Amino acid sequence: MPLEPLRFAVLGPVRVLRADAELELGGPQERAFLALLLVGAGRPVAVSEIVDVLWGAAPPRSAVNVVRRHVGSLRRLLEPGLAARAEGRWLVRDAGGYRLVTDGDSSDLLRFRALREEARRIADRAPAQALELLIEALSLWRGPLAAGIPAQARAHPAFDAVDRELPAAVRQAADAALRAGRPDAVLADLRQAAARHPLDEPLQAGLLLALAAAGHRSEALAAYEAVRARLAEELGIDPGAELRDARDTVLRGVRETTAGSSGGSSGAVPEDAGADGAPMQAQTHEPAPASGPPSPSALPPPAQLPHGITTFTGRDVELDAAFALSGADGSGPGTVVISAIGGMAGVGKTTLAVHWAHRVADRFPDGQLYVNLRGFDPSGAVLDPGEAVRGFLGALGVPPERVPHRVDAQAALYRSVLAGRRVLVVLDNARDTEQVRSLLPGSPGCLTIVTSRDELSGLVAAHGAHSLVLRPFDAVQARAFLVRRLGAERVLAEPRAADEISELCAGLPLALACVAARAAGHPHFPLAAVAAELREAHGSLDAFVRSDTSVDVGTVFSWSSRAVSAEAARLFRLLALHPGPDLSLPAAAALAGLPVRRTRPLLAELTGLHLVTEHSPGRYAFHDLLRAHAGELVHARHTEADRAAALNRLHHHYLHTAHAADRLLAPNADPLPPPPVPEGVPPEPLADDDRALAWLTAEHAVLLAVVETAAASGQPVQERLACQLAWSLEPFFDRRGHWHDGLAVQRTALDAARRLADPALEARGLRGLARVEGRLGLHSRAVPRLERALELFTELGDDTGRAHTHRSLGWECDQQGDLPGALRHNRFALGLFRALGDRAAQASVLNSVGWYHAQLGEYRRALTHCFEALTMLQELGDRYGQAATWDSIAYAHHHLGRHPHALLGYRNALALLRDLGVPYVEADILVRVGDTHLATGDHDGARTAWQRALVLFRGLNHPDAERVEALLNARDGHAGAV
């Protein structure tokens, strides 16, 4: 009875199938031998070439004999019962080597080439048909070429030559899609190929044109900036003519869209404002929640302006000038107008800017952006421009995992997202021109308001900014201010006292507000008595004494702070030690070493006199002038030991709360236990992972500042604390996609660990930095760090550290297409976790081992590991891990042809994920559910699953939406399809 025909696959894992049964190919060397024959595509492969692939530069003396044994084994595998030494049908001796006899029906590579050739032949007369052929050709690639063979063999030039055919085919398909009027049909493949070949200029040009034609012009411009920067950094060259022409085509489309918007209405907003690549899978094959926001078109416009002051008064002349400068009197901005509001501290720059912004906000229908740049913050915590740009991109709907790595590329993406939109941007408290340059919109229609103590002459000279300088209130303005706060009757009853108060406050609105708050709190105090108290008060604020007046403004603040209780005054002073832009009630309690219930009324005292502002519920902040005054007082009235103790309490508050959050978000991780909680330190109570995420999100900017200040303290205890805090934040940054911030804190932690000369800390620091570098695609940096970390953990005898580092190395192998390497590292980790008795980590890595077996086509072995993992995860109550494991089990069942079992596994995974609220992974699994329905012939079920996945991906503004769209469109092109 003749054997059924064979099918060979090398465009992904190396496989041979007889009917639907997969043949067992043996070990890595046998797979490498077969892969070389398959990429030979019917040509003879010399014995010397085979030896070179299998052993490299140092073959054994028996190499030729071993090759002959491989030949015999492969012949018997392909043709069972073949007589000894017989050639058979498939593997024949030819031209001093061996040739595998295949054709377009038996070889996926030859089928791929035949489809490309046919598409090329009909491209001009039938572009739609050519596109369908190319989509079919691309679908034959099921992973990296020859996945599963040793990396040494895979590096042979024969494989590189076939590898280059994929990006060429993607570019061919992109051209066909443009000609057929379906630019998004292969956009997912194009994005993936461009990410794998970042220096392939024709491919990158094709991506730009396809993105622009599909309406994603902002992403196209960001992609150009990214490749331009990479070419300059890695090759020292500028983009070539083809890439520049593609960029110019995109820009022409942007200008045409902007010109086509009439009546001042917004131009078309690109639906996809992303940047350089999709998020990566979790290193453990646990579903990685992608909590990215929906697309900009689905989001409400950002509305970040702080609340305006209802008692605003005294700046009518300046407001009129502002309206005239901005064109907000009805003529419209026309071009970008940057109004720099200068002036000394406390003169009311922010108040005027926010009031003005609220007055004109309705003229900017695409939203308002606001950021406090903290340019003159006494703590020195000046906001980095990159952090500000990333904040704006998030507000505009760009998921953090799609923000480029370099600040210049981030700024380019920001300007691209704003192209054709009318947005009001308020940049408050800028230090200098350089701090705001990357935050300026680059197209007409936007208004930017900048406040600064600096004159910002560079902004005026280089960007045509209009300057508006505020001066202290004159007597008339100051009296009007007091009337608004205290009432006309009281002020007019004592006009001389009111004028004296104004003079003693030097006409500064901030100082007047503090005095007015005190007077309003005591309505029966005569204003003359208030003025007398103020006159007799003493204080200093040398950094802010005005040269043109004899009045020391610090007197007002000293007088105000003496009007509160002794405990509240102490808290006021200690708050100056906090390094972040704002703080919570528990953090204030930690600084003071008091219970939260005792701290709450003290903060109420301070806010009542405008010494501290509760700018949002439960969040408190200083004006920088008052912060400087409190800073003077804390250094004058508290010893260095007192200050150090307060900071130590504060840092431990953040460390212990972050550590608790880490354990909730990543129960399988390898945390470094923090030292005991000092007395008087109340960590935040975190009941579950939702509360943990909410706390980390609210304290995001603060935690970055705490890591920096603790690491820079020069005190070993605090430097160690900075390391521990940085590592506790890793799960949060990874889950939210804040990899740029993660990169900064992990670098700080590693530097601190090296200063401490502690190998255990250095090993953790290397691993932490490598992980985030891997997320950002910096694999050439990440792998050497992980290898060095593994050496250190081994020298230290730290098997837990070794195991987790092997998992990270396994993920790096996965990203580079080395699936056997990924499996090998996870097996090492599994053995170590079993020896350690760490059941949580063991259960997680069991699923990873099973997943990689499945990726290599070893589906039964995959199920063995995954079912063992599932049992342990159910005992541990780890729903997240269970969902990931059900996904792996279903994937293996699907490829074994057990489609009902696969659907059951996917349903179990989806039920868990919906309870956990993980939409990205839910969508990813729904795609596989559709594949399984299709395999059973249930076309309606497949379409329903894919459509549900598409809705979720679109809601997340995730690039996989294009992949699902292309899948649906491709199926629609076939008769009887879904």
Side-chain angles (χ1 to χ4, degrees), residues 590-614:
L591 266 173
L594 296 172
V596 168
R597 57 182 171 76
R598 182 71 196 97
T599 307
R600 184 178 286 108
L602 302 181
L603 281 171
E605 281 191 66
L606 298 176
T607 56
L609 283 180
H610 288 252
L611 293 171
V612 173
T613 302
E614 188 176 9

Side-chain angles (χ1 to χ4, degrees), residues 411-448:
L413 176 59
Y414 165 66
R415 289 191 292 271
S416 298
V417 173
L418 290 184
R421 306 174 78 176
R422 294 171 60 86
V423 175
L424 176 61
V425 183
V426 180
L427 308 176
D428 199 13
N429 293 318
R431 185 172 189 84
D432 50 33
T433 300
E434 284 305 310
Q435 193 185 19
V436 303
R437 196 183 303 278
S438 59
L439 300 171
L440 304 178
S443 61
C446 297
L447 170 66
T448 307

Side-chain angles (χ1 to χ4, degrees), residues 269-484:
V269 180
E271 181 177 338
D272 180 359
D276 55 356
M280 303 172 186
Q281 281 186 311
Q283 66 185 25
T284 60
H285 181 57
E286 296 180 2
S291 304
S295 66
S297 58
L299 280 175
Q304 295 186 329
L305 290 180
H307 293 300
I309 304 298
T310 57
T311 56
F312 183 87
T313 189
R315 292 294 189 194
D316 294 339
V317 174
E318 290 86 349
L319 269 177
D320 289 342
F323 289 138
L325 288 174
S326 66
D329 56 357
S331 60
T335 58
V336 176
V337 177
I338 304 157
S339 299
I341 304 177
M344 62 178 293
V347 79
K349 300 182 298 298
T350 297
T351 302
L352 175 62
V354 171
H355 183 75
W356 173 21
H358 277 289
R359 291 279 298 273
V360 301
D362 62 336
R363 303 182 187 278
F364 299 92
D366 295 315
Q368 313 98 43
L369 300 172
Y370 171 89
V371 65
N372 181 359
L373 296 170
R374 307 197 299 269
F376 296 89
D377 193 304
S379 70
V382 179
L383 189 68
D384 179 74
E387 185 178 344
V389 169
R390 293 192 294 273
F392 280 174
L393 287 171
L396 291 165
V398 180
E401 69 271 12
R402 298 179 66 188
V403 175
H405 176 53
R406 294 166 58 98
V407 175
D408 56 350
Q410 294 167 9
L413 176 59
Y414 165 66
R415 289 191 292 271
S416 298
V417 173
L418 290 184
R421 306 174 78 176
R422 294 171 60 86
V423 175
L424 176 61
V425 183
V426 180
L427 308 176
D428 199 13
N429 293 318
R431 185 172 189 84
D432 50 33
T433 300
E434 284 305 310
Q435 193 185 19
V436 303
R437 196 183 303 278
S438 59
L439 300 171
L440 304 178
S443 61
C446 297
L447 170 66
T448 307
I449 304 171
V450 186
T451 77
S452 179
R453 292 182 209 167
D454 187 81
E455 293 180 357
L456 300 181
S457 56
L459 208 59
V460 174
H463 297 275
H466 299 281
S467 183
L468 179 63
V469 179
L470 294 192
R471 303 192 183 281
F473 283 158
D474 59 24
V476 174
Q477 291 172 312
R479 183 178 290 190
F481 183 94
L482 291 175
V483 165
R484 189 70 181 268

Side-chain angles (χ1 to χ4, degrees), residues 574 577-579 586-593 639-657 674-683 706 709-710 713 715-722 724-725:
L574 292 174
L577 300 173
H578 191 279
L591 266 173
T639 65
E640 184 176 350
D642 287 340
R643 298 194 301 272
L647 275 175
N648 187 56
R649 290 193 298 269
L650 179 73
H651 291 169
H652 274 82
H653 161 77
Y654 287 117
L655 172 60
H656 282 270
T657 312
V677 182
E679 186 177 354
V681 175
V706 171
T709 54
S713 67
Q715 301 176 24
V717 172
Q718 293 300 311
E719 289 182 299
R720 183 180 182 86
L721 185 147
Q724 292 176 283
L725 179 55

